[in-house]
Amino acid sequence: MKNESLGKIIQEARKSKKWTQEQLAKHLFTSKQAISSWENDRTEPDFSSLKKIIKLLNIDIHKIFLTFYLFHLPYLLKITPSSYILFNKKILSALTEFFYFRISHQTS
């Protein structure tokens, strides 16, 4: 798997569905500018929006999770001891949300 950013995965999935940024924005109740910002990796969608994007565009959740990890790995390797506890809480929170979403996604 090549190292793609979250934004590029969203953009590729949107284009393969032949949707414009405006169409995706309408489904997510957000703006075209927000979609553009995500696709250009200026910002990332919140977890609620990401869940909707995954379902709407049929994106493999494993690809999203692996991308998140690989994209943030350079930062993770430079973490300072003082921020280690905060980092662990963020990772634990992300993993919890990921597995909760995976379970709820499989049952729906």
Side-chain angles (χ1 to χ4, degrees), residues 6 15 19 24 30 37 44-45 48 55 66 81 87 96 108:
L6 177 58
K15 287 182 174 182
W19 281 6
L24 180 56
T30 191
S37 184
E44 292 180 345
S48 176
K55 284 187 177 185
L66 184 58
F87 164 74
T96 301
S108 56

Side-chain angles (χ1 to χ4, degrees), residues 12-27:
E12 182 181 291
R14 175 185 58 78
K15 287 182 174 182
S16 73
K17 197 160 181 150
K18 299 188 182 344
W19 281 6
T20 65
Q21 289 180 337
E22 291 161 343
Q23 289 171 309
L24 180 56
K26 185 176 179 180
H27 281 88

Side-chain angles (χ1 to χ4, degrees), residues 60-72:
D60 180 9
I61 192 166
H62 297 98
K63 185 175 183 179
I64 294 288
F65 191 73
L66 184 58
T67 296
F68 171 83
Y69 183 76
L70 291 175
F71 191 72
H72 291 89

Side-chain angles (χ1 to χ4, degrees), residues 28-97:
L28 297 172
F29 303 102
T30 191
S31 67
K32 175 188 178 286
Q33 290 78 13
I35 305 298
S36 175
S37 184
W38 299 338
E39 289 183 354
N40 288 297
D41 297 310
R42 289 189 296 272
T43 61
E44 292 180 345
D46 60 31
F47 189 71
S48 176
S49 296
L50 185 57
K51 287 194 305 186
K52 291 175 188 172
I53 291 167
I54 289 168
K55 284 187 177 185
L56 286 168
L57 302 179
N58 300 315
I59 298 173
D60 180 9
I61 192 166
H62 297 98
K63 185 175 183 179
I64 294 288
F65 191 73
L66 184 58
T67 296
F68 171 83
Y69 183 76
L70 291 175
F71 191 72
H72 291 89
L73 188 59
Y75 165 76
L76 302 180
L77 294 175
K78 295 178 184 176
I79 198 161
T80 61
S82 62
S83 59
Y84 185 73
I85 292 173
L86 177 62
F87 164 74
N88 281 335
K89 286 181 181 178
K90 286 183 178 182
I91 289 298
L92 182 58
S93 176
L95 287 171
T96 301
E97 289 181 358

